[in-house]
């Protein structure tokens, strides 16, 4: 595994334990644009041999990668908890998913889709084949330090691409260990690691043959423009504003439990976390009390505890942002239903915030306009089903919506009308199935993830005409 940091003081990468900020996991110089460019060059040189090795060899290598991750299960679980504050139970689930992702995509090298067609006239064959783009530049988030690189790198490699991975600085220790483990399963230079800041991601967007980004809106927009200006396939997931809708016929206690977990889980920092809850007015009082009780049962806790759901937020800045936006909403007239942004394990050194639920937040406030990375959500009412669905679709769209109802007709209607990549009925917004794809277009970006849609993204279609010499 080649990692060539650059000696520039402004590219220092520091990763701290959010539950104990004095515990520094990594402090190193990140790549410069020049060293990142050399990583792309090494991956490009390795790509031809990786593709020529054939489907069977790529399949074996990806399965070895999954096995290697499984062997390091306990070590990697502990590293997830320590570096990003992921609760222990969820860390175990993430690692299990990462192993499954590599094993799933190990089946695909021999199943890259194509088609055979008859010529419109005369003898011969017309073929289509999926071919790799070359080098995949992957810029991945800290929220899923093992799963996110896996669900992008595995299909890219399966299709015959090589990979340069730039992890979020907050997840550098996980990325270093992941790259070391995968490096023993994959051929040399097939997977390159380029730790660093925004300038490294910009280098990948300017040089890679296909680009995948997950992160902030400002950076993601720049990535899309840079890659698109070169005619390079690009997907950029810049998160969104996820909504849960509760109808009068819902099982309110169950709905509240699901929504509370989606607000508080992983300290509300997942891209699928619930940020807005809309209840039809007749069920609003009952849901309000049920949510209050459910969130009170999920205070911020040590992520090493087996019963922890809400661990620390990732940084002091993230905690301060949640405190500020909550204080601002309360000063604007909002009502605090649960939690205390200034509370949360005050005796502990980490960046803890108890889950917060607010009501009567003014429409112009940031909490009603954009995602806040933290365990804070807004409750509001709607006069009926139609208004609830309309409000859920207003403003910035999210990755996922949830609908809580026992009415099948309304559930099916909502599936057609809720404009999000995923719609989950009687389930929390959090939780995705890597076997199922989602695709969404908004804000000048297209996101394709999971299953066959991912394979399509990391390949292009080649058309081959095989005609007899006499007909040519």
């Amino acid at each position: 595994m080649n990692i060539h940091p650059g000696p520039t003081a402004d590219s220092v990468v520091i990763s701290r334990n959010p539950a104990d900020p004095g515990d520094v996991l990594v402090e190193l110089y990140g790549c410069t644009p020049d060293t990142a460019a050399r990583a792309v060059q090494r991956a490009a040189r390795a790509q031809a041999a990786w593709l020529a090795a054939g489907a069977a060899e790529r399949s074996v290598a990806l399965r070895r990668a999954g096995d290697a991750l499984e062997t390091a299960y306990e070590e990697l679980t502990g590293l997830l908890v320590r570096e990003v504050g992921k609760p222990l139970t969820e860390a175990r689930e993430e690692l299990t998913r990462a192993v499954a992702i590599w094993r799933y995509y190990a089946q695909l090298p021999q199943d890259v889709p194509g088609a055979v067609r008859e010529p419109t006239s005369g003898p011969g064959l017309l073929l289509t084949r999926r071919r790799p783009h070359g080098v995949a530049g992957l810029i991945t988030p800290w929220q899923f330090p093992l799963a996110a690189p896996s669900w992008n790198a595995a299909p890219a490699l399966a299709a015959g691409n090589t990979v340069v991975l730039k992890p979020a600085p907050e997840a550098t220790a996980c990325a270093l260990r992941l790259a070391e483990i995968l490096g023993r399963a994959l051929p040399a230079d097939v997977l390159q690691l380029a730790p660093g800041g925004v300038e490294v991601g910009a280098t990948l967007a300017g040089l890679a043959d296909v680009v995948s980004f997950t992160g902030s809106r400002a950076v993601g927009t720049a990535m899309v423009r840079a890659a698109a200006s070169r005619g390079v396939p690009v997907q950029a997931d810049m998160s969104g504003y996820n909504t849960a809708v509760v109808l009068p016929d819902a099982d309110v206690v169950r709905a509240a439990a699901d929504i509370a977990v989606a607000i508080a889980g992983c300290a509300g920092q997942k891209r699928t976390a619930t940020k807005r809850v809309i209840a039809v007015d007749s069920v609003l009082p009952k849901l309000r009390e049920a949510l209050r009780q459910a969130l009170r049962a999920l205070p911020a806790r040590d992520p090493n505890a087996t019963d922890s759901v809400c661990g620390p937020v990732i940084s002091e800045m993230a905690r301060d942002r949640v405190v500020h936006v909550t204080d601002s909403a309360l000063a604007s007239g909002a009502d605090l239903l649960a939690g205390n942004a200034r509370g949360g394990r005050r005796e502990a050194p980490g960046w803890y915030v108890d889950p917060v639920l607010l009501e009567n937040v003014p429409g112009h406030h940031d909490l009603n306009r954009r995602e806040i990375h933290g365990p804070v959500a807004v409750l509001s009412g709607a006069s009926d089903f139609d208004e609830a669905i309309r409000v859920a679709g207003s403003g910035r769209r999210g990755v996922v919506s949830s609908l809580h109802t026992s009415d099948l007709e309304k559930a099916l209607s909502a599936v057609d009308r809720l404009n999000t990549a995923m719609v989950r009925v009687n389930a929390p917004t959090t939780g995705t199935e890597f076997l199922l794809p989602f695709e969404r277009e908004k804000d000048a970006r297209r996101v394709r993830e999971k299953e066959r849609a991912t394979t399509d993204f990391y390949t292009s279609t080649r058309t081959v005409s095989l005609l007899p010499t006499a007909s040519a």
Side-chain angles (χ1 to χ4, degrees), residues 142-452:
W142 61 262
Q143 288 91 335
F144 293 90
L146 301 179
S150 295
W151 70 54
N152 282 285
L157 292 167
N161 300 279
T162 50
V163 165
V164 179
L165 169 65
K166 192 211 89 65
E170 298 89 342
T172 300
C174 285
L176 288 168
R177 190 67 182 113
L178 177 68
E180 184 179 7
I181 291 170
L182 295 179
R184 296 198 294 263
L186 301 170
D189 292 341
V190 164
L191 175 65
Q192 301 281 319
L193 185 65
V198 173
E199 69 283 356
V200 176
T203 300
L204 295 187
L207 295 176
D209 300 303
V210 56
V211 177
S212 178
F213 169 87
T214 301
S216 72
R217 186 167 302 278
V219 176
T221 300
M223 294 287 175
V224 169
R225 288 173 178 165
S229 69
R230 301 167 46 229
V232 168
V234 57
Q235 61 180 11
D237 183 1
M238 297 173 272
S239 65
Y241 191 73
N242 304 311
T243 302
V245 176
V246 182
L247 303 186
D249 50 40
D251 180 333
V252 174
V253 173
R254 175 185 168 185
D258 285 344
I259 294 168
V261 167
I263 294 171
C266 205
Q269 298 168 110
K270 298 179 184 178
R271 61 178 176 167
T272 54
T274 295
K275 298 300 173 185
R276 176 171 58 172
V277 184
I278 301 170
V280 172
D281 288 340
S282 59
V283 77
L284 181 58
K286 187 176 180 181
L287 178 68
R288 180 188 296 120
E289 184 56 31
L291 266 178
R292 193 198 310 263
Q293 296 300 324
L295 285 171
R296 284 176 177 171
L298 299 175
R301 289 177 175 156
D302 180 350
N304 288 288
T306 56
D307 61 349
S308 176
V309 172
C310 181
V313 293
I314 191 63
S315 67
E316 185 176 17
M317 183 183 296
R319 183 194 62 190
D320 291 347
R321 188 182 300 117
V322 174
V323 170
H324 171 76
V325 76
T326 302
D327 286 350
S328 171
L330 293 173
S332 300
D335 297 318
L336 181 65
L337 299 181
N340 178 359
R342 295 184 178 275
R345 303 198 76 223
R346 293 185 181 181
E347 76 287 355
W351 297 307
Y352 291 96
V353 179
D354 283 336
V356 172
L357 181 67
L358 298 163
E359 192 175 19
N360 299 318
V361 176
H364 65 273
H365 195 273
D366 269 359
L367 282 173
N368 280 317
R369 295 162 58 88
R370 65 185 181 91
E371 179 183 24
I372 302 297
H373 288 285
V376 54
V378 174
L379 175 66
S380 60
S383 60
D384 56 20
F385 169 71
D386 288 330
E387 183 183 1
I389 298 300
R390 185 170 63 255
V391 173
S394 65
R396 180 161 287 163
R397 292 179 236 157
V399 178
V400 55
S401 304
S402 68
L403 178 73
H404 302 267
T405 181
S406 60
D407 188 325
L408 178 60
E409 183 177 354
K410 283 188 169 62
L412 293 174
S413 174
V415 166
D416 289 335
R417 297 166 62 184
L418 289 169
N419 195 1
T420 51
M422 293 179 287
V423 178
R424 292 170 61 83
V425 179
N426 297 323
T429 55
T430 50
T432 62
E433 174 54 67
F434 75 85
L435 296 177
L436 297 176
F438 72 82
E439 180 171 340
R440 55 197 176 94
E441 296 178 52
K442 53 181 178 288
D443 301 331
R445 70 194 194 266
R446 179 182 291 263
V447 176
R448 300 181 180 93
E449 288 187 2
K450 323 286 174 54
E451 208 257 351
R452 180 68 70 195

Side-chain angles (χ1 to χ4, degrees), residues 467-472:
L467 304 176
T469 301
S471 302

